[in-house]
Amino acid sequence: MATEDNYSFIGKLRAVDLRDAETRDGILFALPYLALFSVFLLYPLLKGFYMSLFAWNAFAPAQSEFILFENYTRMLSDPEFWKSVRATVVFVVLTVPTLVVLGLALALGVNRDIKGKRVLRTIFFSPYVLTVSVVSLIWAELYAPQYGAINYYVGYLVSNPPAWLNSFTWAMPAIALATVWWTVGFNFVILIAARQSVPERLYEAARIDGASSWRAFKDITLPQMRSAIVFVTTVQFIWSFQVFGQAYIMTNGGPGNSTQTLVMYLFRMAFNEGQFGYAAAIGYFLFFVLVAVSLGNYYFVSGGTET
Amino acid sequence: MSTASSRFLSERVRSVGVYVALYGAAAIFLVPYAYMVSTSIKPEQFTFTNQPYWIPPEVTFRWYDAVLAGAPMVQWGINTFIIAATTTVLVVILDSMIAFSLTKLDWPGKRIVFTVIVASFMVPVFANMVPLYTIITDFGLINNPLAVILPFSAMPIGVFLFTQFFSDLPDSVIEAAKLDGFSTFQIYYKIVLPLMKPAIAALSLYTFVYTWNQFLWPLIVLQGQNQFTLPVGIVTMQPTQVFQPGAEMAGTFLAVLPLFVVFLVLQEHLVNAVQMQGTTG
């Protein structure tokens, strides 16, 4: 099967013979995409590493000073860099588990025999098609300390409700909550599909054996949906680790840089401070973290599933 | 008998609980929409009050007038549409061509090419931002819609999804066409593409929505107000100088509207596209 071969790492090498019609057509059909891919994805990736070795001069790149790994050593001893890593990790910890658990709960709920499934699915999925600026502007209004709707109700419960986005403690959780509303629909629809592909006979057998629904969930649903759950967790991690827009629009990193995330720091270093070399090094740090997570999850999945 | 009825009762209680939880969650999910719409039609004296008037005692459309007069919303909408539509067309054409080549044609080196494309999934878009910016600058594309269109058309996800679908297409179909004297291009155009319509529809919609919604990259490379896309424009606009929640929410609503209509009409395709990623990825 041709498909099977696609996955072997490199395959047999042989000389390219352009007189062969299939070879010629094959390359012609691949070429347009490969051209874009090389110029706008592969080349920047290599150039990014090259730039990270220089004190890059944005106005006269040729005069950039080669400093080897100085950008990287600077990064490791830069407190503001670590502060942005910390803010990012806080965001990841707040969002990823919530998004996965809530997405799973909604998916399993809607999968039951209830009325109005389609309406519910539309409602839970709909925020996912909004752009980050719309989400951020609406939630910033909701969180407004003086006239926002949230504090009108929270004011009934506590006498002194926080000024959400201006609070060191609450700014990041507030951004995380808006993000959960915005993106949980993605996990929700993927997990519904995964749940529907679990064979119903497994549940029938469990019912005959008198298994409780908790047992059925633990011993059938979770193991059967394992790869889908790992997939959404990985994707959410990758997205959450690159959080930018919500924090940029809602707090602009404040108060006191407490919500300045890694990508925001990268953005600031590059486009406000003009330190392209340093920003490229931060980009590479981001790249390596995400590659490590993706590979780790890949081995976790392929190591755990029986083949 | 009694265990059966208690079991029946607990089943009842549980199903009522599920209804309450799901419809309660759905109601909470709708709150931000309700707030956006109601704030956008409130007169000023009701926007800054502590009490949220979900149904404003008085309705005004002056914020919509103010936004449309004070900011080039229509221009931003056109810009966004051009960028999203062009990217979608490019992605569908280029990705289906290379996917066809990778799955149905045999040529040396294609496995390396496929491996590199799949591996490039792991490159986070934002990690590549700074070098990509210098390349766009070198090409003189700053402020040009192509600065957004070209990098987004280079993303590998469509290639990967299409190869998954194309490889399910039996080789015998291709062989038969070859025997009938079809050229490679005819096989691609007259046989593969028509059979792949559902995958093409799903990927088109996904690419369109994804590109339409981009914020950070357009913010970096589109610097003139008339070049902005909607997501960038609504964040930067200050139609009345003085900050006004009503104007802000009116602008937000206008920016949401086009894509939301598309979503409500075509949501089945979009859900399919998202699920394709989860099941093939």
Side-chain angles (χ1 to χ4, degrees):
Chain A
M1 277 298 287
T3 48
E4 208 97 14
D5 289 352
N6 283 332
Y7 295 99
S8 77
F9 187 64
I10 286 184
K12 267 178 285 175
L13 285 174
R14 62 195 148 90
V16 176
D17 180 5
L18 286 179
R19 282 164 304 178
D20 177 54
E22 195 163 334
T23 300
R24 204 179 50 228
D25 290 345
I27 292 174
L28 278 178
F29 269 87
L31 220 48
Y33 175 77
L34 287 181
L36 270 191
F37 178 76
S38 312
V39 176
F40 295 103
L41 212 152
L42 275 191
Y43 173 56
L45 189 64
L46 300 174
K47 188 175 180 186
F49 182 66
Y50 176 77
M51 289 176 78
S52 75
L53 305 177
F54 286 84
W56 193 265
N57 185 330
F59 301 104
Q63 288 167 25
S64 302
E65 189 193 345
F66 181 73
I67 53 171
L68 198 61
F69 294 122
E70 224 172 270
N71 282 323
Y72 292 92
T73 50
R74 171 184 165 193
M75 184 170 86
L76 296 177
S77 58
D78 174 359
E80 212 181 333
F81 166 77
W82 286 112
K83 204 176 170 189
S84 72
V85 171
R86 187 177 172 275
T88 308
V89 170
V90 168
F91 179 79
V92 167
V93 169
L94 288 172
T95 53
V96 176
T98 318
L99 283 165
V100 174
V101 172
L102 183 63
L104 184 62
L106 295 177
L108 296 180
V110 170
N111 187 62
R112 291 172 71 105
D113 187 24
I114 55 163
K115 291 194 180 72
K117 277 184 190 189
R118 287 177 54 89
V119 176
L120 287 173
R121 196 191 69 178
T122 303
I123 292 173
F124 293 140
F125 184 64
S126 63
Y128 185 68
V129 301
L130 302 180
T131 176
V132 63
S133 16
V134 164
V135 173
S136 306
L137 293 175
I138 297 176
W139 280 84
E141 290 289 329
L142 282 166
Y143 283 129
Q146 303 304 327
Y147 56 87
I150 288 177
N151 272 0
Y152 176 73
Y153 297 106
V154 175
Y156 283 117
L157 304 172
V158 294
S159 56
N160 206 354
W164 303 98
L165 297 172
N166 298 320
S167 150
F168 278 97
T169 320
W170 291 105
M172 202 49 121
I175 294 170
L177 180 66
T179 308
V180 168
W181 176 76
W182 176 33
T183 58
V184 74
F186 175 85
N187 294 359
F188 166 71
V189 298
I190 285 188
L191 292 170
I192 285 185
R195 172 61 185 81
Q196 281 167 353
S197 63
V198 179
E200 263 331 292
R201 57 180 166 76
L202 294 179
Y203 292 100
E204 280 156 26
R207 214 170 295 133
I208 291 165
D209 291 346
S212 67
S213 41
W214 169 248
R215 274 295 299 271
F217 171 74
K218 194 165 67 76
D219 292 341
I220 302 171
T221 311
L222 279 186
Q224 290 283 326
M225 292 177 69
R226 175 193 164 107
S227 62
I229 293 171
V230 173
F231 171 78
V232 294
T233 311
T234 310
V235 168
Q236 286 306 342
F237 183 91
I238 291 172
W239 287 347
S240 286
F241 210 81
Q242 299 184 76
V243 52
F244 173 83
Q246 306 94 299
Y248 178 77
I249 299 165
M250 290 166 82
T251 61
N252 197 14
N257 286 351
S258 63
T259 59
Q260 174 167 277
T261 63
L262 194 58
V263 171
M264 209 190 287
Y265 188 53
L266 188 165
F267 174 86
R268 215 190 84 200
M269 283 297 130
F271 300 108
N272 296 349
E273 316 263 328
Q275 302 188 26
F276 279 23
Y278 189 44
I282 298 171
Y284 251 75
F285 172 82
L286 186 66
F287 175 54
F288 282 119
V289 169
L290 298 185
V291 167
V293 169
S294 308
L295 288 179
N297 269 310
Y298 175 76
Y299 285 112
F300 176 67
V301 179
S302 58
T305 42
E306 289 168 40
T307 43
Chain B
M1 185 67 197
S2 68
T3 52
S5 68
S6 80
R7 190 163 184 161
F8 174 75
L9 190 71
S10 81
E11 196 53 44
R12 280 295 291 193
V13 169
R14 184 173 298 146
S15 99
V16 168
V18 169
Y19 270 94
V20 170
L22 283 176
Y23 279 92
I28 293 172
F29 261 71
L30 292 176
V31 164
Y33 294 123
Y35 200 65
M36 168 176 71
V37 175
S38 80
T39 303
S40 75
I41 52 171
K42 274 176 217 170
E44 194 173 347
Q45 68 266 33
F46 298 111
T47 57
F48 283 112
T49 51
N50 183 273
Q51 187 188 349
Y53 290 95
W54 294 102
I55 297 164
E58 215 181 294
V59 169
T60 174
F61 290 101
R62 60 170 285 227
W63 304 122
Y64 287 89
D65 293 336
V67 167
L68 287 170
M73 288 289 289
V74 176
Q75 178 68 46
W76 294 341
I78 293 170
N79 296 344
T80 320
F81 180 81
I82 290 173
I83 287 174
T86 315
T87 306
T88 305
V89 171
L90 272 177
V91 162
V92 168
I93 295 175
L94 302 186
D95 291 10
S96 66
M97 281 172 69
I98 188 173
F100 167 64
S101 168
L102 289 172
T103 53
K104 298 298 167 201
L105 301 173
D106 188 35
W107 44 282
K110 74 170 187 177
R111 293 185 196 96
I112 304 175
V113 167
F114 186 73
T115 308
V116 171
I117 292 174
V118 170
S120 72
F121 270 132
M122 281 188 253
V123 181
V125 189
F126 295 162
N128 243 348
M129 199 161 68
V130 176
L132 193 56
Y133 178 80
T134 64
I135 291 161
I136 293 291
T137 313
D138 290 345
F139 284 155
L141 291 177
I142 294 295
N143 252 336
N144 186 320
L146 286 174
V148 180
I149 293 167
L150 295 177
F152 280 105
S153 303
M155 297 210 312
I157 180 152
V159 178
F160 183 69
L161 289 177
F162 273 159
T163 53
Q164 300 290 308
F165 281 90
F166 287 18
S167 58
D168 289 341
L169 191 73
D171 289 338
S172 56
V173 177
I174 312 283
E175 293 304 324
K178 255 187 215 161
L179 289 177
D180 286 344
F182 277 44
S183 70
T184 310
F185 179 75
Q186 285 171 325
I187 295 174
Y188 162 76
Y189 186 70
K190 291 190 172 157
I191 298 186
V192 176
L193 286 191
L195 286 173
M196 287 299 143
K197 264 184 195 151
I200 291 172
L203 183 69
S204 306
L205 192 63
Y206 178 80
T207 309
F208 189 86
V209 171
Y210 181 86
T211 314
W212 180 286
N213 282 339
Q214 283 308 307
F215 175 70
L216 175 53
W217 185 246
L219 174 75
I220 292 171
V221 290
L222 305 175
Q223 294 160 352
Q225 203 199 26
N226 286 323
Q227 273 74 42
F228 284 166
T229 58
L230 277 173
V232 176
I234 57 167
V235 171
T236 55
M237 75 177 175
Q238 286 174 311
T240 52
Q241 302 300 338
V242 187
F243 170 80
Q244 285 290 355
E248 197 174 72
M249 290 299 101
T252 314
F253 185 75
L254 289 174
V256 164
L257 203 57
L259 199 54
F260 223 70
V261 172
V262 171
F263 164 68
L264 289 177
V265 176
L266 297 173
Q267 59 164 312
E268 221 50 54
H269 287 283
L270 189 60
V271 169
N272 285 345
V274 169
Q275 287 177 344
M276 258 161 53
Q277 286 180 66
T279 46
T280 59

